[in-house]
Amino acid sequence: MTSTTLVRRTALLAAALAALAVSCATTPERDPASDALPAPSVTTTARAAAPEATEAAEPTAAPERPDALPDDSTPAAPPSADPYAPVPGEKVRDAFATLQATYHDSCETDCTHFLGRVHRELQELDMAMKADPKGPGHFPEPIARMAELNETLAGDASSPNLKKHRKELIGTRDFVNTWMQGHPEDYR
């Protein structure tokens, strides 16, 4: 399993558990006697316990998400982030493994997701091959074939365009798979 896939699965699991925790939480009844005294905040209590440790740990920005905690200074990904955008820094063997995993999917269940995933996996493999220590010259045929696909797509990775060029997209995946199978030293 690749580290990218593991990170994605961990993030999805954490999000699901957080949603479950929020949906299962109950609001305790208010005690009228406690309304007279202001409740100490977590930050105030932490400062009283260890003032020198909390000064360095102050958030640099206020939380921007409605569900963010007071100490959460990491903003959420912008809503316009492309879920099919390639992830940089992957190794060739990891990128190839995730490309091969697309053979278990098809357009029968969700064509938009499937074609977007094949496109993303091809782009990740292309970036991995170009960044490989052996150099892009070690992978001339797959890189050339992916460049042809990118030229055909003309930078448009929208669902309608991927569906329009489905044959080229799947053909490129199959070509790269066949080429890589002939070069096992590059992915084992």
Side-chain angles (χ1 to χ4, degrees), residues 30-59:
R30 273 190 107 122
D31 179 13
S34 66
D35 288 343
L37 297 172
S41 70
V42 174
T43 308
T44 305
T45 306
R47 277 197 191 116
E52 61 279 344
T54 58
E55 288 177 14
E58 286 295 318

PDB file of all heavy atoms in Angstrom, residues 30-59:
ATOM      1  N   ARG A  30     -27.901  22.704  31.056  1.00  0.00           N
ATOM      2  CA  ARG A  30     -27.246  23.833  31.708  1.00  0.00           C
ATOM      3  C   ARG A  30     -27.575  23.857  33.180  1.00  0.00           C
ATOM      4  O   ARG A  30     -28.705  23.637  33.592  1.00  0.00           O
ATOM      5  CB  ARG A  30     -27.718  25.130  31.095  1.00  0.00           C
ATOM      6  CG  ARG A  30     -26.948  25.544  29.895  1.00  0.00           C
ATOM      7  CD  ARG A  30     -27.383  26.935  29.576  1.00  0.00           C
ATOM      8  NE  ARG A  30     -26.349  27.857  29.929  1.00  0.00           N
ATOM      9  CZ  ARG A  30     -25.794  28.689  29.071  1.00  0.00           C
ATOM     10  NH1 ARG A  30     -26.204  28.698  27.846  1.00  0.00           N
ATOM     11  NH2 ARG A  30     -24.848  29.494  29.446  1.00  0.00           N
ATOM     12  N   ASP A  31     -26.577  24.166  33.958  1.00  0.00           N
ATOM     13  CA  ASP A  31     -26.761  24.352  35.388  1.00  0.00           C
ATOM     14  C   ASP A  31     -26.923  25.848  35.621  1.00  0.00           C
ATOM     15  O   ASP A  31     -25.985  26.611  35.362  1.00  0.00           O
ATOM     16  CB  ASP A  31     -25.552  23.797  36.139  1.00  0.00           C
ATOM     17  CG  ASP A  31     -25.659  23.969  37.637  1.00  0.00           C
ATOM     18  OD1 ASP A  31     -26.759  24.294  38.127  1.00  0.00           O
ATOM     19  OD2 ASP A  31     -24.634  23.759  38.320  1.00  0.00           O
ATOM     20  N   PRO A  32     -28.087  26.322  36.089  1.00  0.00           N
ATOM     21  CA  PRO A  32     -28.297  27.760  36.278  1.00  0.00           C
ATOM     22  C   PRO A  32     -27.281  28.385  37.232  1.00  0.00           C
ATOM     23  O   PRO A  32     -26.932  29.541  37.094  1.00  0.00           O
ATOM     24  CB  PRO A  32     -29.709  27.867  36.846  1.00  0.00           C
ATOM     25  CG  PRO A  32     -30.361  26.552  36.613  1.00  0.00           C
ATOM     26  CD  PRO A  32     -29.282  25.552  36.420  1.00  0.00           C
ATOM     27  N   ALA A  33     -26.762  27.619  38.179  1.00  0.00           N
ATOM     28  CA  ALA A  33     -25.785  28.167  39.129  1.00  0.00           C
ATOM     29  C   ALA A  33     -24.459  28.470  38.450  1.00  0.00           C
ATOM     30  O   ALA A  33     -23.741  29.389  38.852  1.00  0.00           O
ATOM     31  CB  ALA A  33     -25.568  27.192  40.283  1.00  0.00           C
ATOM     32  N   SER A  34     -24.128  27.728  37.393  1.00  0.00           N
ATOM     33  CA  SER A  34     -22.844  27.959  36.732  1.00  0.00           C
ATOM     34  C   SER A  34     -22.896  29.132  35.767  1.00  0.00           C
ATOM     35  O   SER A  34     -21.866  29.583  35.289  1.00  0.00           O
ATOM     36  CB  SER A  34     -22.392  26.700  35.992  1.00  0.00           C
ATOM     37  OG  SER A  34     -23.271  26.442  34.928  1.00  0.00           O
ATOM     38  N   ASP A  35     -24.095  29.635  35.453  1.00  0.00           N
ATOM     39  CA  ASP A  35     -24.211  30.775  34.552  1.00  0.00           C
ATOM     40  C   ASP A  35     -23.642  32.044  35.169  1.00  0.00           C
ATOM     41  O   ASP A  35     -23.238  32.960  34.462  1.00  0.00           O
ATOM     42  CB  ASP A  35     -25.668  31.017  34.157  1.00  0.00           C
ATOM     43  CG  ASP A  35     -26.171  29.946  33.202  1.00  0.00           C
ATOM     44  OD1 ASP A  35     -25.320  29.243  32.610  1.00  0.00           O
ATOM     45  OD2 ASP A  35     -27.399  29.826  33.051  1.00  0.00           O
ATOM     46  N   ALA A  36     -23.584  32.125  36.487  1.00  0.00           N
ATOM     47  CA  ALA A  36     -23.086  33.323  37.158  1.00  0.00           C
ATOM     48  C   ALA A  36     -21.585  33.458  37.012  1.00  0.00           C
ATOM     49  O   ALA A  36     -21.051  34.563  36.976  1.00  0.00           O
ATOM     50  CB  ALA A  36     -23.475  33.296  38.638  1.00  0.00           C
ATOM     51  N   LEU A  37     -20.873  32.348  36.927  1.00  0.00           N
ATOM     52  CA  LEU A  37     -19.416  32.384  36.815  1.00  0.00           C
ATOM     53  C   LEU A  37     -19.006  32.053  35.388  1.00  0.00           C
ATOM     54  O   LEU A  37     -19.484  31.078  34.812  1.00  0.00           O
ATOM     55  CB  LEU A  37     -18.784  31.361  37.763  1.00  0.00           C
ATOM     56  CG  LEU A  37     -19.034  31.584  39.246  1.00  0.00           C
ATOM     57  CD1 LEU A  37     -18.507  30.391  40.015  1.00  0.00           C
ATOM     58  CD2 LEU A  37     -18.357  32.855  39.702  1.00  0.00           C
ATOM     59  N   PRO A  38     -18.099  32.844  34.813  1.00  0.00           N
ATOM     60  CA  PRO A  38     -17.634  32.495  33.467  1.00  0.00           C
ATOM     61  C   PRO A  38     -16.745  31.254  33.531  1.00  0.00           C
ATOM     62  O   PRO A  38     -15.921  31.124  34.430  1.00  0.00           O
ATOM     63  CB  PRO A  38     -16.835  33.724  33.018  1.00  0.00           C
ATOM     64  CG  PRO A  38     -16.436  34.407  34.280  1.00  0.00           C
ATOM     65  CD  PRO A  38     -17.492  34.075  35.297  1.00  0.00           C
ATOM     66  N   ALA A  39     -16.943  30.362  32.604  1.00  0.00           N
ATOM     67  CA  ALA A  39     -16.134  29.147  32.554  1.00  0.00           C
ATOM     68  C   ALA A  39     -14.759  29.474  31.994  1.00  0.00           C
ATOM     69  O   ALA A  39     -14.631  30.229  31.040  1.00  0.00           O
ATOM     70  CB  ALA A  39     -16.816  28.102  31.677  1.00  0.00           C
ATOM     71  N   PRO A  40     -13.702  28.934  32.615  1.00  0.00           N
ATOM     72  CA  PRO A  40     -12.365  29.185  32.090  1.00  0.00           C
ATOM     73  C   PRO A  40     -12.202  28.489  30.745  1.00  0.00           C
ATOM     74  O   PRO A  40     -12.694  27.386  30.545  1.00  0.00           O
ATOM     75  CB  PRO A  40     -11.431  28.577  33.140  1.00  0.00           C
ATOM     76  CG  PRO A  40     -12.261  27.574  33.863  1.00  0.00           C
ATOM     77  CD  PRO A  40     -13.669  28.072  33.800  1.00  0.00           C
ATOM     78  N   SER A  41     -11.533  29.164  29.830  1.00  0.00           N
ATOM     79  CA  SER A  41     -11.312  28.559  28.520  1.00  0.00           C
ATOM     80  C   SER A  41     -10.165  27.573  28.611  1.00  0.00           C
ATOM     81  O   SER A  41      -9.366  27.605  29.532  1.00  0.00           O
ATOM     82  CB  SER A  41     -11.001  29.636  27.480  1.00  0.00           C
ATOM     83  OG  SER A  41      -9.723  30.176  27.724  1.00  0.00           O
ATOM     84  N   VAL A  42     -10.083  26.711  27.628  1.00  0.00           N
ATOM     85  CA  VAL A  42      -9.002  25.737  27.579  1.00  0.00           C
ATOM     86  C   VAL A  42      -7.671  26.458  27.509  1.00  0.00           C
ATOM     87  O   VAL A  42      -6.709  26.078  28.161  1.00  0.00           O
ATOM     88  CB  VAL A  42      -9.182  24.794  26.362  1.00  0.00           C
ATOM     89  CG1 VAL A  42      -7.994  23.880  26.204  1.00  0.00           C
ATOM     90  CG2 VAL A  42     -10.464  24.004  26.503  1.00  0.00           C
ATOM     91  N   THR A  43      -7.598  27.530  26.724  1.00  0.00           N
ATOM     92  CA  THR A  43      -6.358  28.277  26.577  1.00  0.00           C
ATOM     93  C   THR A  43      -5.951  28.906  27.904  1.00  0.00           C
ATOM     94  O   THR A  43      -4.788  28.871  28.281  1.00  0.00           O
ATOM     95  CB  THR A  43      -6.508  29.365  25.501  1.00  0.00           C
ATOM     96  OG1 THR A  43      -7.006  28.755  24.316  1.00  0.00           O
ATOM     97  CG2 THR A  43      -5.200  30.044  25.213  1.00  0.00           C
ATOM     98  N   THR A  44      -6.915  29.477  28.651  1.00  0.00           N
ATOM     99  CA  THR A  44      -6.611  30.098  29.944  1.00  0.00           C
ATOM    100  C   THR A  44      -6.118  29.052  30.924  1.00  0.00           C
ATOM    101  O   THR A  44      -5.125  29.262  31.622  1.00  0.00           O
ATOM    102  CB  THR A  44      -7.874  30.792  30.513  1.00  0.00           C
ATOM    103  OG1 THR A  44      -8.355  31.695  29.549  1.00  0.00           O
ATOM    104  CG2 THR A  44      -7.563  31.508  31.800  1.00  0.00           C
ATOM    105  N   THR A  45      -6.775  27.898  30.985  1.00  0.00           N
ATOM    106  CA  THR A  45      -6.365  26.834  31.891  1.00  0.00           C
ATOM    107  C   THR A  45      -4.977  26.340  31.532  1.00  0.00           C
ATOM    108  O   THR A  45      -4.141  26.120  32.415  1.00  0.00           O
ATOM    109  CB  THR A  45      -7.377  25.665  31.819  1.00  0.00           C
ATOM    110  OG1 THR A  45      -8.675  26.185  32.054  1.00  0.00           O
ATOM    111  CG2 THR A  45      -7.050  24.594  32.831  1.00  0.00           C
ATOM    112  N   ALA A  46      -4.692  26.182  30.260  1.00  0.00           N
ATOM    113  CA  ALA A  46      -3.378  25.709  29.829  1.00  0.00           C
ATOM    114  C   ALA A  46      -2.306  26.724  30.157  1.00  0.00           C
ATOM    115  O   ALA A  46      -1.195  26.365  30.560  1.00  0.00           O
ATOM    116  CB  ALA A  46      -3.387  25.411  28.336  1.00  0.00           C
ATOM    117  N   ARG A  47      -2.595  28.012  30.014  1.00  0.00           N
ATOM    118  CA  ARG A  47      -1.609  29.035  30.326  1.00  0.00           C
ATOM    119  C   ARG A  47      -1.292  29.046  31.813  1.00  0.00           C
ATOM    120  O   ARG A  47      -0.160  29.251  32.213  1.00  0.00           O
ATOM    121  CB  ARG A  47      -2.118  30.419  29.909  1.00  0.00           C
ATOM    122  CG  ARG A  47      -1.902  30.704  28.473  1.00  0.00           C
ATOM    123  CD  ARG A  47      -2.024  32.200  28.194  1.00  0.00           C
ATOM    124  NE  ARG A  47      -2.055  32.386  26.767  1.00  0.00           N
ATOM    125  CZ  ARG A  47      -3.076  32.874  26.097  1.00  0.00           C
ATOM    126  NH1 ARG A  47      -4.154  33.278  26.707  1.00  0.00           N
ATOM    127  NH2 ARG A  47      -3.015  32.992  24.797  1.00  0.00           N
ATOM    128  N   ALA A  48      -2.302  28.839  32.637  1.00  0.00           N
ATOM    129  CA  ALA A  48      -2.075  28.817  34.071  1.00  0.00           C
ATOM    130  C   ALA A  48      -1.204  27.629  34.456  1.00  0.00           C
ATOM    131  O   ALA A  48      -0.380  27.724  35.361  1.00  0.00           O
ATOM    132  CB  ALA A  48      -3.410  28.753  34.820  1.00  0.00           C
ATOM    133  N   ALA A  49      -1.370  26.507  33.771  1.00  0.00           N
ATOM    134  CA  ALA A  49      -0.599  25.313  34.096  1.00  0.00           C
ATOM    135  C   ALA A  49       0.844  25.426  33.626  1.00  0.00           C
ATOM    136  O   ALA A  49       1.759  25.016  34.327  1.00  0.00           O
ATOM    137  CB  ALA A  49      -1.250  24.086  33.467  1.00  0.00           C
ATOM    138  N   ALA A  50       1.074  25.951  32.459  1.00  0.00           N
ATOM    139  CA  ALA A  50       2.432  26.050  31.915  1.00  0.00           C
ATOM    140  C   ALA A  50       2.521  27.249  30.993  1.00  0.00           C
ATOM    141  O   ALA A  50       2.454  27.119  29.781  1.00  0.00           O
ATOM    142  CB  ALA A  50       2.789  24.772  31.165  1.00  0.00           C
ATOM    143  N   PRO A  51       2.683  28.463  31.533  1.00  0.00           N
ATOM    144  CA  PRO A  51       2.663  29.660  30.696  1.00  0.00           C
ATOM    145  C   PRO A  51       3.772  29.700  29.655  1.00  0.00           C
ATOM    146  O   PRO A  51       3.561  30.155  28.550  1.00  0.00           O
ATOM    147  CB  PRO A  51       2.792  30.807  31.698  1.00  0.00           C
ATOM    148  CG  PRO A  51       3.232  30.190  32.980  1.00  0.00           C
ATOM    149  CD  PRO A  51       2.873  28.748  32.942  1.00  0.00           C
ATOM    150  N   GLU A  52       4.944  29.207  29.974  1.00  0.00           N
ATOM    151  CA  GLU A  52       6.047  29.287  28.999  1.00  0.00           C
ATOM    152  C   GLU A  52       5.848  28.323  27.837  1.00  0.00           C
ATOM    153  O   GLU A  52       6.286  28.584  26.731  1.00  0.00           O
ATOM    154  CB  GLU A  52       7.405  29.033  29.663  1.00  0.00           C
ATOM    155  CG  GLU A  52       7.565  27.659  30.306  1.00  0.00           C
ATOM    156  CD  GLU A  52       6.927  27.554  31.694  1.00  0.00           C
ATOM    157  OE1 GLU A  52       6.615  28.576  32.300  1.00  0.00           O
ATOM    158  OE2 GLU A  52       6.734  26.422  32.139  1.00  0.00           O
ATOM    159  N   ALA A  53       5.169  27.220  28.048  1.00  0.00           N
ATOM    160  CA  ALA A  53       4.955  26.252  26.972  1.00  0.00           C
ATOM    161  C   ALA A  53       3.865  26.732  26.018  1.00  0.00           C
ATOM    162  O   ALA A  53       3.949  26.488  24.822  1.00  0.00           O
ATOM    163  CB  ALA A  53       4.565  24.898  27.557  1.00  0.00           C
ATOM    164  N   THR A  54       2.852  27.416  26.531  1.00  0.00           N
ATOM    165  CA  THR A  54       1.750  27.813  25.660  1.00  0.00           C
ATOM    166  C   THR A  54       2.055  29.058  24.852  1.00  0.00           C
ATOM    167  O   THR A  54       1.465  29.267  23.818  1.00  0.00           O
ATOM    168  CB  THR A  54       0.460  28.040  26.479  1.00  0.00           C
ATOM    169  OG1 THR A  54       0.720  29.030  27.461  1.00  0.00           O
ATOM    170  CG2 THR A  54      -0.014  26.754  27.097  1.00  0.00           C
ATOM    171  N   GLU A  55       2.972  29.873  25.301  1.00  0.00           N
ATOM    172  CA  GLU A  55       3.299  31.074  24.536  1.00  0.00           C
ATOM    173  C   GLU A  55       3.861  30.718  23.173  1.00  0.00           C
ATOM    174  O   GLU A  55       3.547  31.346  22.180  1.00  0.00           O
ATOM    175  CB  GLU A  55       4.281  31.944  25.318  1.00  0.00           C
ATOM    176  CG  GLU A  55       3.635  32.636  26.501  1.00  0.00           C
ATOM    177  CD  GLU A  55       4.636  33.427  27.311  1.00  0.00           C
ATOM    178  OE1 GLU A  55       5.754  33.662  26.822  1.00  0.00           O
ATOM    179  OE2 GLU A  55       4.291  33.813  28.432  1.00  0.00           O
ATOM    180  N   ALA A  56       4.679  29.684  23.115  1.00  0.00           N
ATOM    181  CA  ALA A  56       5.268  29.290  21.834  1.00  0.00           C
ATOM    182  C   ALA A  56       4.272  28.528  20.976  1.00  0.00           C
ATOM    183  O   ALA A  56       4.430  28.451  19.774  1.00  0.00           O
ATOM    184  CB  ALA A  56       6.503  28.419  22.076  1.00  0.00           C
ATOM    185  N   ALA A  57       3.245  27.969  21.600  1.00  0.00           N
ATOM    186  CA  ALA A  57       2.305  27.143  20.858  1.00  0.00           C
ATOM    187  C   ALA A  57       1.056  27.898  20.427  1.00  0.00           C
ATOM    188  O   ALA A  57       0.097  27.294  19.997  1.00  0.00           O
ATOM    189  CB  ALA A  57       1.899  25.945  21.718  1.00  0.00           C
ATOM    190  N   GLU A  58       1.027  29.204  20.542  1.00  0.00           N
ATOM    191  CA  GLU A  58      -0.136  29.985  20.142  1.00  0.00           C
ATOM    192  C   GLU A  58      -0.389  29.818  18.646  1.00  0.00           C
ATOM    193  O   GLU A  58       0.533  29.779  17.847  1.00  0.00           O
ATOM    194  CB  GLU A  58       0.076  31.476  20.430  1.00  0.00           C
ATOM    195  CG  GLU A  58      -0.017  31.818  21.894  1.00  0.00           C
ATOM    196  CD  GLU A  58      -1.403  31.583  22.467  1.00  0.00           C
ATOM    197  OE1 GLU A  58      -2.400  31.911  21.800  1.00  0.00           O
ATOM    198  OE2 GLU A  58      -1.487  31.053  23.581  1.00  0.00           O
ATOM    199  N   PRO A  59      -1.646  29.706  18.236  1.00  0.00           N
ATOM    200  CA  PRO A  59      -1.938  29.593  16.808  1.00  0.00           C
ATOM    201  C   PRO A  59      -1.564  30.874  16.079  1.00  0.00           C
ATOM    202  O   PRO A  59      -1.652  31.959  16.639  1.00  0.00           O
ATOM    203  CB  PRO A  59      -3.444  29.341  16.766  1.00  0.00           C
ATOM    204  CG  PRO A  59      -3.976  29.751  18.090  1.00  0.00           C
ATOM    205  CD  PRO A  59      -2.835  29.666  19.066  1.00  0.00           C
TER     206      PRO A  59
END
